[in-house]
Amino acid sequence: HGPRRGAAMSIAGPCGGQPGAIPRGGKGYGKGGFPSKRKMPLKGLRKGGYILVAYREKRAPGMIEEKVEYEGVIVDKRVGWDNRESYVELDDCLRLNAEGQVAAREGRKRLFDAFIDECEEVEKTERQLSPELAAAEGVSKSSGDSSTEAA
């Protein structure tokens, strides 16, 4: 007996495609649809774009993670298999405080996908310096350790 004709076709399912294919992130899943664990905030961003990122930063073990906003120009971006491998690297990166003022100039900073809450492309605007940074830059131009803490 030879192989039955058409038997291989029925495995693929009614919609065709690969049998057992994993649904890819960003195809109708997410906000209102099926809850996808992977948010893929970096999807669709171009190198050279200016972005604003809401980022969760852990201070120390046991402490509550702090939500920090950064903005800068995308110089490198990697979307890996796992969200801990995926990152976006910003140049001229600015850390913003709660009032949207520049709290620190970070230079080049790599932000990992796993800790990015939101990410959007924005117009670059001149931001006001926070009083702490303005005072620090007014006194000295040295980029030492940011040991000044806002209370």
Side-chain angles (χ1 to χ4, degrees), residues 73 75-76 89-93 105-110:
V73 179
V75 287
D76 191 18
E89 197 166 323
L90 302 180
D91 206 10
D92 298 329
C93 182
R105 297 181 200 276
E106 300 273 343
R108 186 172 274 218
K109 184 156 182 83
R110 186 174 287 184

Side-chain angles (χ1 to χ4, degrees), residues 74-93:
I74 300 175
V75 287
D76 191 18
K77 179 180 123 170
R78 174 186 152 91
V79 178
W81 191 245
D82 180 44
N83 64 1
R84 290 184 185 272
E85 288 175 17
S86 304
Y87 64 82
V88 63
E89 197 166 323
L90 302 180
D91 206 10
D92 298 329
C93 182

